[in-house]
Amino acid sequence: LDNAKFPGVIDEVRLWGVARTQSQIRQYMSLEIETCDSIISYLRFNEGTGVQIYDRCGLGTGVLESYVPGSPVEDWLNGWISN
């Protein structure tokens, strides 16, 4: 890798422990999931403030290392963003 930074916005990350069909992905993509059935890691990115990211399924806490220049690192957005 060339250490390039992701140039976009991430609403949340889910690492599933099972294969998902396109239909299943579409069914759940705009819903926050309350249980960790079949999910290995679930990062919602809506903690409110700070640089810590909490894994809702128990893998631990992550820390933001980088952000878009000019944007406050402590700002989190709640809800779904569409463009």
Side-chain angles (χ1 to χ4, degrees), residues 19-37:
R20 309 305 280 172
T21 65
Q22 183 175 3
S23 175
Q24 289 170 321
I25 292 169
R26 286 180 193 233
Q27 179 182 1
Y28 291 103
M29 72 182 189
S30 61
L31 300 175
E32 286 190 345
I33 298 172
E34 297 302 322
T35 64
C36 291
D37 296 339

Side-chain angles (χ1 to χ4, degrees), residues 41 43 45 47 50-55 59-65 76:
S41 180
L43 309 169
F45 293 99
E47 279 77 1
V51 295
Q52 292 186 337
I53 306 164
Y54 300 102
D55 185 342
L59 282 184
T61 301
V63 177
L64 291 176
E65 291 185 9
W76 294 88

